[in-house]
Amino acid sequence: MRKLLHLDASVRSTSFSRELGGVFVEHWKAANPDGAYTYRDLVAEPVKPIDEARATLMTLSGMNGIKDLATMDALVAEHGLEEAWAETRPLIVQLIEADVLVIGTPMYNFTVPGSLKTWMDRVTLPWLPLAGKSVVILSARGGAYGPGMPREGFDFQEPFLRGYFTVLGVEDVEFVHTELTHATVMPFLAQFKDTYETGRVAALARVKELAARVPAETPAA
């Protein structure tokens, strides 16, 4: 049975990244009627920022060569870090159990929102077994940051996310961007409305395609 974990990070309830995520989920469920779906709105239900205790979990995990949850549980009990682990463990379990992770995220200040970065900080451990999973990033950008655009070099969102998941062993990382979303509201970008709409239609088509092709089997932990 396929399992999908869906995260949203936009502060806007009617954001373009949420629109892309909604379409992905709709078509994924149609292609996987027996699949399991887990959702978390990182704005409505924010993850607790990391603290020294959570950082200690990371250090101890690496120092002791931890490779699985059960061994991590024992280490936590030994060092009295149950509270920090209680905030972290359920999120890691959701991620480990998912075949596919889909993230709807806007670009804020050329990178990801704090809500998403906080989730990443909370779940990351050196042994996190993500190899074999598929990750789909559905983003919205107010401007244009694609190849050849004047602000191409200011896109710190895609390189950051691609690097993060690659280091954790994910080879299948897909990005779908809706750009020039501000053309719908900002007078100085009004001339790009048609470009935005063309890109939006293409992004929605790509999302539908990806929803139908993600892997069917859960990788071994």
Side-chain angles (χ1 to χ4, degrees):
M1 178 179 66
R2 292 184 180 184
K3 294 182 180 181
L4 171 65
L5 174 60
H6 176 199
L7 305 176
D8 266 325
S10 175
V11 298
R12 301 180 188 275
S13 60
T14 57
S15 71
F16 296 94
S17 60
R18 288 179 185 269
E19 177 187 34
L20 293 176
V23 171
F24 183 96
V25 170
E26 176 187 355
H27 285 78
W28 184 88
K29 287 183 174 181
N32 301 273
D34 297 324
Y37 172 66
T38 301
Y39 175 70
R40 182 162 186 148
D41 185 328
L42 296 174
V43 177
E45 190 182 359
V47 172
K48 184 178 179 180
I50 62 171
D51 53 16
E52 184 174 4
R54 173 61 184 82
T56 300
L57 285 176
M58 169 71 84
T59 302
L60 289 173
S61 175
M63 289 173 57
N64 290 274
I66 304 301
K67 300 293 184 183
D68 58 79
L69 281 172
T71 311
M72 193 71 193
D73 289 340
L75 185 71
V76 165
E78 179 184 347
H79 291 272
L81 293 168
E82 289 86 353
E83 184 175 348
W85 189 226
E87 295 282 350
T88 304
R89 194 182 195 280
L91 301 176
I92 292 177
V93 170
Q94 284 183 344
L95 185 54
I96 290 175
E97 290 182 347
D99 302 296
V100 183
L101 170 64
V102 60
I103 300 175
T105 178
M107 174 188 279
Y108 289 163
N109 299 311
F110 310 118
T111 186
V112 301
S115 59
L116 177 56
K117 179 59 164 60
T118 299
W119 177 86
M120 295 164 69
D121 290 342
R122 175 61 64 175
V123 301
T124 305
L125 288 170
W127 56 271
L128 199 60
L130 300 188
K133 299 184 184 298
S134 295
V135 176
V136 180
I137 311 293
L138 308 174
S139 86
R141 290 110 170 265
Y145 300 85
M149 293 294 102
R151 289 193 171 188
E152 178 183 357
F154 288 87
D155 176 9
F156 300 104
Q157 180 196 54
E158 179 171 336
F160 170 61
L161 290 171
R162 187 179 296 281
Y164 171 78
F165 285 109
T166 298
V167 167
L168 291 177
V170 181
E171 296 181 359
D172 184 14
V173 184
E174 296 280 357
F175 288 82
V176 181
H177 303 297
T178 299
E179 296 205 316
L180 289 167
T181 61
H182 284 170
T184 63
V185 293
M186 300 294 184
F188 67 92
L189 291 176
Q191 61 183 309
F192 299 113
K193 281 185 178 180
D194 289 345
T195 303
Y196 152 72
E197 188 56 41
T198 299
R200 175 177 172 272
V201 170
L204 289 170
R206 178 61 174 154
V207 164
K208 295 173 185 177
E209 175 189 342
L210 288 173
R213 78 142 182 87
V214 289
E217 296 182 0
T218 306

